[in-house]
Amino acid sequence: MHVASLFWARTKALLFNKLFSTTTSTNPQNSSLISHYFALLHSSPNLTHLRHLHARLIRTFLYDNVVLSSKLVLMYSHHNKLIPHSLSVFFHMPCRNIYSWNIIIGEFSRSCFPEKSLDLFLHMWRESHVRPDDFSLPLVLRACAGSGSVELGSSVHGLCVKTGWAVSLFVASALVFMYVTFGNLFYARVLFDGMSKRDAVLWTAMLAGYAQHGEPMFGLQVFRKMVDMDVKVDGVVMVSLLLVCGQLGWLKHGKSVHGWCLRNCLAFELSLGNAIVDMYVKCAALAYAHSVFDEMSERDVFSWSSLILGYGLSGNVSVALALFDQMHMGGIKPNDVTFLGVLSACAHGGLVEEARSYFKMIKDYGLVAGFKHYASMVDCLGRAGLLEEAERFMEDMPMEPDEAVLGAILAGCRVHNNVEVGERIAKKLIRLKPEKAGYYVLLSNMYAAAGRYDEAEIIRDLMKEKNVSKVPGYSLIESKSSFPLSQNEDLDFLEV
């Protein structure tokens, strides 16, 4: 998450500033020498140069200085030598204090080994007299989030409360980020609402959490409060707001956000451009999405995949496949969403052979087909009337088929009046989802279409016996109101 990276970068900068500012020397000459070597370490261009400085520090009394030895640990990490160099230097330091521990814990929390950061924290807690401060705990909470350690994260939260650091802005912010990462938005919101002071990064994180975890209405509530509190909005906020608009299908409001971006952002970052394309795709405004896509100065696999998926799901077969070819020729490696888009296009266009070819390509690119890919492939076979082949394809899946895969075959059976296969699949679906009325109705309708009225009536009676009823349909209509992007600006899509 881009918002989280801003928070952790700020915390890291404050941490080392505090480390350097708290180290004093009674000897001005020593202080000057320490500053000189600190600058040399900081500007070290490569690993060889850093090793020479390391040797120089060892040969002099300077290696005993906690600032320089801590900086050495940090610089080895910056040269991608966190393991074993940084770790080795850290454990051979003549003197370690809370700032040294914070540096090594922080570097591991930002690495591919967040579990090691947690091990180091536990080592510090159990085997040293050093106690964590308001810089240590956010780093540990980040490691919990990065490693997915929900239980340990809750324990560290308890430690924050017991030690009194939970009231710190840094610690409370880190707790919110951790719970947002875990998808536990309730606890994140409780902590967020209980904070006496909240900055723009924290507001943005809460909004992004709701947007990314499928809670768009709560996201809008947070955004409205941001505006009421005069919190400055920027492109990062707009990315989350566009995601909310796409989830709700609010095309008019999405256009308002797009218009704000055009007026206030000198150039679209890649993430913002992708968010605008994705919003228009989800609102089924493919012409707008394609126009924004064409104007983007930089595109990645997400830009291409979003547009390909949009055209694929809407049945624009030729455009989706042409975009895939352009992407392939441009040297961009497709991802799982890309293949979902082309498989959906093949299903809508009845292109069975092409679908088989694309499905095989998934493995060629080192990807693993998921349930949605299998469902799309089965849907393609089912629409073409190849229902027995679709059933065999499903049985050969490396995992148990889910509702989407079974439902794709059943839909094909209904279209082609294949009662034999449809009966087997419908019974599996009823066992899998006994509360879903649609599967009972489809099976009953297939029986009725085949003249098997007694069996159709049995299915209807079974629905009554299990108290299963169809859920009434409903429509969503976007209102004419708009939401404000600042207290002095009430944007309507007509302004765009």
Side-chain angles (χ1 to χ4, degrees), residues 38-220:
F38 186 92
L40 289 175
L41 287 167
H42 183 75
S43 60
S44 182
N46 53 55
L47 189 60
T48 302
H49 184 268
L50 186 61
R51 283 173 172 166
H52 284 306
L53 286 173
H54 185 179
R56 178 70 176 174
L57 292 175
I58 291 174
R59 288 197 301 269
T60 65
F61 69 93
L62 293 173
Y63 189 68
D64 295 340
N65 183 274
V66 68
V67 172
L68 295 179
S69 51
S70 298
K71 184 64 174 179
L72 187 62
V73 169
L74 187 64
M75 291 310 299
Y76 271 124
S77 176
H78 287 183
H79 286 293
N80 300 315
K81 293 296 179 181
L82 184 58
I83 296 177
H85 292 62
S86 287
L87 199 59
S88 176
V89 170
F90 175 77
F91 280 114
H92 285 88
M93 286 173 63
C95 176
R96 290 190 294 269
N97 59 15
I98 183 57
Y99 308 114
S100 316
W101 282 101
N102 286 350
I103 285 170
I104 194 68
I105 290 171
E107 289 305 296
F108 272 104
S109 73
R110 286 181 285 272
S111 73
C112 300
F113 311 101
E115 298 84 0
K116 185 62 180 176
S117 179
L118 299 175
D119 291 341
L120 286 163
F121 175 73
L122 293 174
H123 182 86
M124 180 190 81
W125 182 265
R126 293 168 180 165
E127 301 184 26
S128 78
H129 298 294
V130 178
R131 299 294 88 177
D133 62 5
D134 56 338
F135 288 97
S136 316
L137 293 169
L139 300 172
V140 178
L141 291 166
R142 176 188 178 130
C144 291
S147 62
S149 305
V150 179
E151 187 176 344
L152 186 56
S154 299
S155 299
V156 177
H157 184 182
L159 179 64
C160 296
V161 174
K162 288 179 181 178
T163 55
W165 287 119
V167 297
S168 162
L169 173 63
F170 291 122
V171 176
S173 298
L175 284 166
V176 171
F177 277 106
M178 181 188 72
Y179 282 119
V180 165
T181 303
F182 289 154
N184 194 331
L185 299 177
F186 174 78
Y187 283 125
R189 186 60 184 270
V190 169
L191 287 163
F192 178 83
D193 289 339
M195 294 177 66
S196 58
K197 183 179 178 183
R198 291 168 291 209
D199 60 10
V201 176
L202 195 58
W203 278 100
T204 306
M206 200 68 242
L207 170 59
Y210 281 126
Q212 291 167 6
H213 290 92
E215 295 286 357
M217 297 309 296
F218 285 114
L220 283 179

Side-chain angles (χ1 to χ4, degrees), residues 219-237:
L220 283 179
Q221 289 177 11
V222 170
F223 176 74
R224 289 182 184 277
K225 287 186 178 181
M226 285 179 71
V227 174
D228 292 341
M229 297 290 291
D230 261 342
V231 179
K232 184 179 179 181
V233 297
D234 56 12
V236 180
V237 175

Side-chain angles (χ1 to χ4, degrees), residues 217 220 245 247-253 283 473-482:
M217 297 309 296
L220 283 179
C245 293
Q247 289 170 350
L248 294 171
W250 284 3
L251 177 60
K252 179 172 73 71
H253 292 79
C283 294
Y474 62 90
S475 299
L476 180 67
I477 301 173
E478 188 176 4
S479 70
K480 292 183 178 180
S481 63
S482 62

